[in-house]
Amino acid sequence: MTPEVEAFYDYPAGLTRPWLRTNFVSSLDGAVSVRGSSRGLSSPADQRVLGLIRDLSDVVLVGAGTALAEGYHGVQRGEVRAERRARFGLSEVPPIAVVTARCSLEPDSPLLTDTVVPPIVLTCEAAPEERRIALADAGADVIVTGSEQVDLVAALAALGERGLLRVGCEGGPGLFGDLIAADLVDELCLTVSPLLAGGRAERIARGPDPAGPRGMRLLSVLRAEESLLLLRYGRLRA
């Protein structure tokens, strides 16, 4: 990645609160997956940007369903990653924070067994206590917010208390929809794949109706591999 591209994707300077960036890939007709996975829409350029966003984040936020469907492991060390993160004054690798209302992550998940840093589990009081204890015993940092569902406002505040202000969210659609409803999205990075997927795949967000549509403004456009578009939108603020 060139310094110019790194500058496009860097987080704002001087953050005093968690700042949330979401990253998705979509087909031209709005599908978020092919045969149940985003891999069918992705490309080498999209994967490079995903890696760059991870390298610039304090923490990677993901829903449990996406983590399980995509076979998540902990973020791994790498020479390029180490150099870039050191240059930006960040820790060696970012932890992954998994949102799961019922603590559906298993203690032997690769997120716990194949990781450099322990994951964070964002859950709620309705999650079975024995599952919370099992994940904590396996090394996870378990944060309980909300009663029946994860309180995302409180969850982000808890990440902020840990110094994790640069939040890179990788989905999925349910988590993204909840973040929109809670008015927590600062930026959307959207890769538009030059494919017509059809089928019954979801859109990139689903969830409760927000108070109203969130205004966004175009921040940057990159074209790769002839027809792939890498778009960045930031929220409009009053």
Side-chain angles (χ1 to χ4, degrees):
M1 289 289 179
T2 66
E4 291 80 10
V5 174
E6 287 186 345
F8 278 149
Y9 286 92
D10 193 13
Y11 284 78
L15 292 175
T16 59
R17 64 162 180 87
W19 196 93
L20 190 134
R21 161 185 285 155
T22 58
N23 183 52
F24 277 90
V25 60
S26 168
S27 68
L28 292 174
D29 53 329
V32 75
S33 63
V34 174
R35 299 185 186 91
S37 172
S38 64
R39 294 186 185 94
L41 297 171
S42 191
S43 70
D46 175 58
Q47 288 299 307
R48 286 194 294 272
V49 168
L50 174 65
L52 174 61
I53 291 173
R54 284 186 166 194
D55 289 352
L56 298 176
S57 299
D58 289 322
V59 60
V60 175
L61 183 69
V62 66
T66 294
L68 294 172
E70 303 287 349
Y72 268 54
H73 294 233
V75 179
Q76 301 300 305
R77 294 185 178 96
E79 184 177 344
V80 172
R81 171 163 289 143
E83 184 277 330
R84 180 180 285 142
R85 290 183 66 83
R87 183 157 36 88
F88 280 85
L90 303 175
S91 63
E92 184 180 25
V93 294
I96 291 183
V98 183
V99 179
T100 169
R102 299 298 177 265
C103 270
S104 56
L105 195 65
E106 295 296 335
D108 62 353
S109 163
L111 282 167
L112 285 144
T113 62
D114 185 18
T115 186
V116 177
V117 294
I120 299 168
V121 174
L122 300 168
T123 190
C124 62
E125 294 173 1
E129 184 177 8
E130 63 273 15
R131 294 194 66 85
R132 285 187 262 154
I133 293 172
L135 289 176
D137 288 345
D141 179 6
V142 179
I143 300 173
V144 179
T145 66
S147 54
E148 293 298 319
Q149 299 294 329
V150 177
D151 182 333
L152 291 172
V153 174
L156 284 185
L159 294 179
E161 291 169 0
R162 287 159 171 75
L164 306 174
L165 301 181
R166 301 155 68 105
V167 184
C169 178
E170 298 180 1
L175 176 56
F176 188 25
D178 289 341
L179 290 166
I180 292 172
D183 198 20
L184 292 171
V185 179
D186 293 293
E187 182 180 306
L188 168 63
C189 296
L190 178 63
T191 299
V192 181
S193 179
L195 297 172
L196 294 173
R200 296 180 174 83
E202 291 188 275
R203 50 189 279 192
I204 65 172
R206 61 170 163 78
D209 291 331
R214 310 303 185 198
M216 306 289 284
R217 64 186 180 92
L218 184 64
L219 299 177
S220 66
V221 180
L222 298 176
R223 190 178 76 174
E225 300 166 8
E226 296 298 327
S227 299
L228 189 83
L229 290 179
L230 300 158
L231 310 175
R232 286 177 56 244
Y233 285 89
R235 67 182 295 167
L236 287 172
R237 297 188 183 275

Coordinates of all heavy atoms in Angstrom, one line a residue, residues 78-142:
G78 N 2.8 -10.2 11.4 CA 3.3 -10.2 10.0 C 4.3 -9.0 9.9 O 4.2 -8.0 10.6
E79 N 5.3 -9.2 9.1 CA 6.3 -8.1 9.0 C 5.8 -6.8 8.6 O 6.1 -5.8 9.1 CB 7.4 -8.6 8.0 CG 8.6 -7.6 7.9 CD 9.7 -8.1 7.0 OE1 9.7 -9.4 6.6 OE2 10.5 -7.3 6.5
V80 N 4.9 -6.8 7.5 CA 4.3 -5.6 7.1 C 3.4 -5.0 8.1 O 3.4 -3.8 8.4 CB 3.5 -5.8 5.7 CG1 2.7 -4.6 5.4 CG2 4.5 -6.2 4.6
R81 N 2.6 -5.8 8.8 CA 1.7 -5.4 9.8 C 2.5 -4.8 11.0 O 2.1 -3.7 11.5 CB 0.8 -6.5 10.3 CG 0.0 -6.2 11.5 CD -1.1 -7.3 11.7 NE -2.1 -7.1 10.7 CZ -2.8 -8.0 10.1 NH1 -2.5 -9.3 10.4 NH2 -3.7 -7.8 9.2
A82 N 3.6 -5.4 11.4 CA 4.3 -4.9 12.5 C 5.0 -3.6 12.2 O 4.9 -2.7 13.0 CB 5.4 -6.0 12.9
E83 N 5.5 -3.4 11.0 CA 6.1 -2.2 10.6 C 5.1 -1.1 10.6 O 5.3 0.0 11.1 CB 6.8 -2.3 9.2 CG 7.6 -1.1 8.8 CD 6.7 -0.1 8.1 OE1 5.7 -0.4 7.5 OE2 7.1 1.1 8.2
R84 N 4.0 -1.4 9.9 CA 2.9 -0.3 9.8 C 2.4 0.1 11.2 O 2.2 1.3 11.4 CB 1.8 -0.8 8.9 CG 0.7 0.2 8.7 CD -0.4 -0.4 7.8 NE 0.1 -0.4 6.4 CZ -0.2 -1.4 5.5 NH1 -0.9 -2.5 5.9 NH2 0.2 -1.3 4.3
R85 N 2.1 -0.9 12.0 CA 1.5 -0.5 13.3 C 2.5 0.2 14.2 O 2.1 1.1 14.9 CB 0.9 -1.8 14.0 CG -0.3 -2.4 13.3 CD -0.9 -3.6 14.0 NE -1.4 -3.3 15.3 CZ -2.7 -2.8 15.5 NH1 -3.5 -2.5 14.4 NH2 -3.1 -2.5 16.7
A86 N 3.7 -0.2 14.1 CA 4.7 0.5 14.9 C 4.8 2.0 14.4 O 5.0 2.9 15.2 CB 6.1 -0.2 14.8
R87 N 4.8 2.2 13.1 CA 4.8 3.5 12.5 C 3.7 4.4 12.9 O 3.8 5.6 13.1 CB 4.9 3.4 11.0 CG 5.1 4.7 10.2 CD 5.7 4.5 8.8 NE 5.3 3.2 8.2 CZ 4.2 3.2 7.4 NH1 3.4 4.2 7.3 NH2 3.9 2.0 6.8
F88 N 2.5 3.8 13.1 CA 1.3 4.5 13.6 C 1.2 4.5 15.1 O 0.2 5.0 15.6 CB 0.1 3.9 12.9 CG -0.1 4.4 11.5 CD1 0.5 3.7 10.4 CD2 -0.9 5.5 11.2 CE1 0.3 4.1 9.1 CE2 -1.1 5.9 9.9 CZ -0.5 5.3 8.8
G89 N 2.1 4.0 15.8 CA 2.1 4.0 17.3 C 1.0 3.1 17.9 O 0.5 3.4 19.0
L90 N 0.8 2.0 17.2 CA -0.3 1.0 17.7 C 0.4 -0.2 18.3 O 1.6 -0.5 18.1 CB -1.2 0.6 16.5 CG -1.9 1.8 15.8 CD1 -2.7 1.3 14.6 CD2 -2.8 2.6 16.8
S91 N -0.4 -1.0 19.0 CA 0.0 -2.2 19.6 C 0.4 -3.2 18.5 O 0.1 -3.0 17.3 CB -1.1 -2.8 20.5 OG -2.2 -3.2 19.7
E92 N 1.0 -4.3 18.9 CA 1.6 -5.3 17.9 C 0.5 -5.8 17.0 O 0.6 -5.8 15.8 CB 2.2 -6.5 18.7 CG 2.8 -7.5 17.8 CD 3.5 -8.6 18.5 OE1 3.0 -8.9 19.7 OE2 4.4 -9.3 18.0
V93 N -0.7 -6.3 17.5 CA -1.8 -6.7 16.7 C -3.1 -6.2 17.5 O -3.1 -6.1 18.7 CB -1.9 -8.2 16.5 CG1 -0.7 -8.7 15.6 CG2 -1.9 -9.0 17.8
P94 N -4.2 -6.0 16.7 CA -5.4 -5.6 17.4 C -6.2 -6.9 17.9 O -6.2 -7.9 17.2 CB -6.2 -4.9 16.3 CG -5.7 -5.6 15.0 CD -4.3 -6.0 15.3
P95 N -6.8 -6.8 19.0 CA -7.7 -7.9 19.5 C -9.0 -7.8 18.6 O -9.3 -6.8 18.0 CB -8.0 -7.5 20.9 CG -7.9 -6.0 21.0 CD -6.8 -5.7 20.0
I96 N -9.6 -9.0 18.6 CA -11.0 -9.1 18.0 C -12.0 -9.0 19.1 O -11.9 -9.8 20.0 CB -11.1 -10.3 17.1 CG1 -10.2 -10.2 15.9 CG2 -12.5 -10.6 16.7 CD1 -10.2 -11.3 14.9
A97 N -13.0 -8.2 18.9 CA -14.1 -8.1 19.8 C -15.3 -8.7 19.2 O -15.8 -8.2 18.1 CB -14.4 -6.6 20.2
V98 N -15.9 -9.7 19.8 CA -17.0 -10.5 19.2 C -18.3 -10.1 20.0 O -18.4 -10.2 21.2 CB -16.8 -12.0 19.3 CG1 -17.9 -12.7 18.7 CG2 -15.5 -12.4 18.6
V99 N -19.3 -9.6 19.2 CA -20.6 -9.3 19.8 C -21.5 -10.6 19.8 O -21.8 -11.1 18.7 CB -21.3 -8.2 19.0 CG1 -22.7 -7.8 19.6 CG2 -20.4 -6.9 19.0
T100 N -21.9 -11.0 20.9 CA -22.7 -12.2 21.0 C -23.6 -12.2 22.2 O -23.2 -12.3 23.4 CB -21.8 -13.5 21.0 OG1 -22.6 -14.6 21.4 CG2 -20.7 -13.4 22.0
A101 N -24.9 -12.0 22.0 CA -25.8 -11.9 23.1 C -26.0 -13.1 23.9 O -26.3 -13.0 25.1 CB -27.2 -11.5 22.5
R102 N -25.7 -14.3 23.4 CA -25.8 -15.5 24.1 C -24.5 -16.2 24.3 O -24.4 -17.4 24.7 CB -26.8 -16.5 23.4 CG -28.2 -15.9 23.2 CD -28.9 -15.7 24.5 NE -30.2 -15.1 24.4 CZ -30.4 -13.8 24.5 NH1 -29.4 -12.9 24.7 NH2 -31.7 -13.3 24.4
C103 N -23.4 -15.5 24.2 CA -22.0 -16.1 24.3 C -21.9 -17.4 23.5 O -21.5 -18.5 24.0 CB -21.8 -16.4 25.8 SG -21.0 -15.1 26.7
S104 N -22.2 -17.3 22.2 CA -22.2 -18.5 21.4 C -20.8 -18.9 20.9 O -20.7 -20.0 20.3 CB -23.1 -18.2 20.1 OG -22.7 -17.1 19.4
L105 N -19.8 -18.2 21.2 CA -18.4 -18.5 20.9 C -18.0 -19.7 21.8 O -18.3 -19.7 23.0 CB -17.5 -17.3 21.2 CG -16.1 -17.4 20.6 CD1 -16.2 -17.4 19.1 CD2 -15.3 -16.2 21.1
E106 N -17.4 -20.7 21.2 CA -16.9 -21.9 22.0 C -15.5 -21.6 22.6 O -14.7 -20.9 21.9 CB -16.9 -23.1 21.1 CG -18.2 -23.6 20.6 CD -19.1 -24.0 21.7 OE1 -18.6 -24.4 22.8 OE2 -20.4 -24.0 21.6
P107 N -15.2 -22.1 23.7 CA -13.9 -21.9 24.3 C -12.7 -22.4 23.5 O -11.6 -22.0 23.6 CB -14.0 -22.7 25.7 CG -15.4 -22.7 26.0 CD -16.1 -22.8 24.7
D108 N -13.0 -23.4 22.6 CA -11.9 -23.9 21.7 C -11.9 -23.3 20.4 O -11.3 -23.8 19.4 CB -12.0 -25.5 21.6 CG -13.3 -25.9 21.0 OD1 -14.2 -25.1 20.7 OD2 -13.4 -27.1 20.7
S109 N -12.6 -22.2 20.2 CA -12.7 -21.5 18.9 C -11.3 -21.0 18.6 O -10.5 -20.6 19.5 CB -13.6 -20.3 19.0 OG -13.4 -19.3 18.0
P110 N -10.9 -20.9 17.3 CA -9.6 -20.4 16.9 C -9.4 -18.9 17.4 O -8.3 -18.5 17.5 CB -9.6 -20.5 15.4 CG -10.6 -21.6 15.1 CD -11.6 -21.5 16.1
L111 N -10.5 -18.2 17.6 CA -10.4 -16.9 18.1 C -9.7 -16.9 19.5 O -9.1 -15.9 19.9 CB -11.7 -16.2 18.2 CG -12.3 -15.7 16.9 CD1 -13.8 -15.3 17.1 CD2 -11.5 -14.5 16.4
L112 N -9.8 -18.0 20.2 CA -9.2 -18.1 21.5 C -7.9 -19.0 21.5 O -7.0 -18.7 22.3 CB -10.2 -18.7 22.5 CG -11.3 -17.8 23.0 CD1 -12.6 -18.5 23.2 CD2 -10.8 -17.1 24.3
T113 N -7.8 -19.9 20.6 CA -6.7 -20.9 20.6 C -5.6 -20.5 19.5 O -4.5 -21.0 19.6 CB -7.2 -22.3 20.3 OG1 -7.8 -22.3 19.0 CG2 -8.2 -22.7 21.3
D114 N -6.0 -19.7 18.6 CA -5.0 -19.3 17.5 C -5.0 -17.8 17.4 O -5.5 -17.2 16.5 CB -5.4 -19.9 16.2 CG -4.4 -19.6 15.1 OD1 -3.3 -19.3 15.4 OD2 -4.8 -19.8 13.9
T115 N -4.4 -17.1 18.4 CA -4.4 -15.7 18.5 C -3.2 -15.2 19.3 O -2.7 -15.9 20.1 CB -5.7 -15.2 19.2 OG1 -5.8 -13.8 19.1 CG2 -5.8 -15.6 20.6
V116 N -2.8 -14.0 18.9 CA -1.6 -13.4 19.6 C -2.1 -12.7 20.9 O -1.4 -12.7 21.9 CB -0.9 -12.4 18.7 CG1 0.2 -11.7 19.4 CG2 -0.4 -13.1 17.5
V117 N -3.3 -12.1 20.8 CA -3.9 -11.4 22.0 C -5.2 -11.9 22.3 O -5.9 -12.4 21.3 CB -3.9 -9.8 21.7 CG1 -2.5 -9.3 21.6 CG2 -4.7 -9.5 20.5
P118 N -5.7 -12.0 23.5 CA -7.0 -12.5 23.8 C -8.1 -11.7 23.2 O -8.0 -10.5 23.1 CB -7.1 -12.4 25.4 CG -5.6 -12.2 25.8 CD -4.9 -11.5 24.7
P119 N -9.2 -12.4 22.7 CA -10.3 -11.7 22.2 C -11.1 -11.1 23.3 O -11.0 -11.4 24.5 CB -11.1 -12.8 21.5 CG -10.8 -14.0 22.4 CD -9.4 -13.9 22.8
I120 N -12.0 -10.1 22.9 CA -12.9 -9.5 23.8 C -14.3 -10.0 23.4 O -14.7 -10.1 22.2 CB -12.9 -8.0 23.6 CG1 -11.5 -7.4 24.0 CG2 -14.0 -7.3 24.5 CD1 -11.3 -6.0 23.6
V121 N -15.1 -10.5 24.4 CA -16.4 -10.9 24.1 C -17.4 -9.9 24.7 O -17.4 -9.7 25.9 CB -16.7 -12.3 24.8 CG1 -18.1 -12.7 24.6 CG2 -15.7 -13.4 24.1
L122 N -18.2 -9.3 23.8 CA -19.2 -8.3 24.3 C -20.6 -9.0 24.3 O -21.1 -9.4 23.3 CB -19.3 -7.2 23.2 CG -17.9 -6.4 23.1 CD1 -18.0 -5.5 21.9 CD2 -17.6 -5.6 24.3
T123 N -21.1 -9.2 25.5 CA -22.3 -10.0 25.7 C -23.2 -9.3 26.6 O -23.0 -8.1 26.9 CB -22.0 -11.4 26.2 OG1 -23.1 -12.2 26.1 CG2 -21.4 -11.4 27.6
C124 N -24.3 -10.0 27.1 CA -25.3 -9.3 27.9 C -25.7 -10.2 29.1 O -25.2 -11.4 29.2 CB -26.5 -8.9 27.1 SG -27.4 -10.3 26.4
E125 N -26.5 -9.7 30.0 CA -26.9 -10.5 31.2 C -27.7 -11.7 30.9 O -27.6 -12.7 31.7 CB -27.7 -9.6 32.1 CG -26.9 -8.4 32.7 CD -27.8 -7.4 33.5 OE1 -29.0 -7.7 33.6 OE2 -27.2 -6.4 33.9
A126 N -28.3 -11.8 29.7 CA -29.1 -12.9 29.4 C -28.3 -14.1 28.9 O -28.8 -15.3 28.9 CB -30.1 -12.6 28.2
A127 N -27.0 -13.9 28.6 CA -26.1 -15.0 28.3 C -26.0 -15.9 29.4 O -25.8 -15.5 30.6 CB -24.8 -14.5 27.8
P128 N -26.0 -17.3 29.2 CA -25.8 -18.2 30.3 C -24.5 -17.9 31.1 O -23.4 -17.8 30.5 CB -25.8 -19.6 29.6 CG -26.5 -19.4 28.4 CD -26.2 -18.0 27.9
E129 N -24.6 -17.9 32.4 CA -23.4 -17.5 33.2 C -22.3 -18.5 33.0 O -21.2 -18.2 33.0 CB -23.8 -17.5 34.7 CG -22.7 -17.0 35.6 CD -23.1 -16.9 37.1 OE1 -24.2 -17.3 37.4 OE2 -22.3 -16.4 37.9
E130 N -22.7 -19.8 32.9 CA -21.6 -20.8 32.7 C -20.8 -20.6 31.4 O -19.6 -20.9 31.4 CB -22.2 -22.2 32.7 CG -23.2 -22.6 31.6 CD -24.6 -22.2 31.9 OE1 -24.9 -21.4 32.9 OE2 -25.5 -22.7 31.2
R131 N -21.5 -20.1 30.4 CA -20.8 -19.8 29.1 C -19.9 -18.6 29.3 O -18.8 -18.6 28.7 CB -21.8 -19.6 28.0 CG -22.6 -20.9 27.6 CD -23.3 -20.7 26.3 NE -22.4 -20.7 25.2 CZ -21.8 -21.7 24.6 NH1 -22.1 -23.0 25.0 NH2 -21.0 -21.6 23.6
R132 N -20.3 -17.6 30.0 CA -19.5 -16.4 30.2 C -18.2 -16.9 31.0 O -17.1 -16.4 30.7 CB -20.3 -15.4 31.0 CG -21.3 -14.6 30.2 CD -21.9 -13.5 31.0 NE -23.2 -13.8 31.6 CZ -23.7 -13.3 32.7 NH1 -23.0 -12.4 33.4 NH2 -24.9 -13.7 33.1
I133 N -18.4 -17.7 32.0 CA -17.3 -18.1 32.9 C -16.4 -19.0 32.0 O -15.1 -18.8 32.1 CB -17.8 -18.9 34.1 CG1 -18.6 -18.0 35.0 CG2 -16.7 -19.6 34.8 CD1 -19.3 -18.7 36.2
A134 N -16.9 -19.9 31.2 CA -16.0 -20.7 30.4 C -15.2 -19.9 29.4 O -14.0 -20.2 29.2 CB -16.9 -21.7 29.6
L135 N -15.7 -18.9 28.8 CA -15.0 -18.1 27.9 C -13.9 -17.2 28.7 O -12.8 -17.1 28.2 CB -15.9 -17.1 27.1 CG -16.8 -17.8 26.1 CD1 -17.7 -16.8 25.4 CD2 -15.9 -18.5 25.0
A136 N -14.3 -16.7 29.8 CA -13.3 -16.0 30.6 C -12.2 -16.9 31.1 O -11.0 -16.5 31.0 CB -14.0 -15.4 31.8
D137 N -12.5 -18.2 31.5 CA -11.5 -19.1 31.9 C -10.6 -19.5 30.7 O -9.4 -19.8 30.9 CB -12.1 -20.4 32.4 CG -12.8 -20.2 33.8 OD1 -12.4 -19.1 34.4 OD2 -13.6 -21.0 34.2
A138 N -11.1 -19.4 29.4 CA -10.3 -19.7 28.3 C -9.4 -18.6 27.8 O -8.7 -18.7 26.9 CB -11.2 -20.1 27.1
G139 N -9.6 -17.4 28.5 CA -8.7 -16.3 28.3 C -9.4 -15.0 27.7 O -8.7 -14.0 27.5
A140 N -10.7 -15.1 27.4 CA -11.4 -14.0 26.8 C -11.6 -12.9 27.8 O -11.8 -13.2 29.0 CB -12.7 -14.4 26.2
D141 N -11.6 -11.6 27.4 CA -12.0 -10.5 28.2 C -13.5 -10.3 28.0 O -13.9 -9.8 27.0 CB -11.2 -9.2 27.8 CG -11.6 -8.0 28.6 OD1 -12.4 -8.1 29.5 OD2 -11.2 -6.9 28.2
V142 N -14.3 -10.8 28.9 CA -15.8 -10.8 28.8 C -16.4 -9.5 29.4 O -16.2 -9.2 30.5 CB -16.4 -12.1 29.5 CG1 -17.9 -12.1 29.3 CG2 -15.8 -13.3 28.9

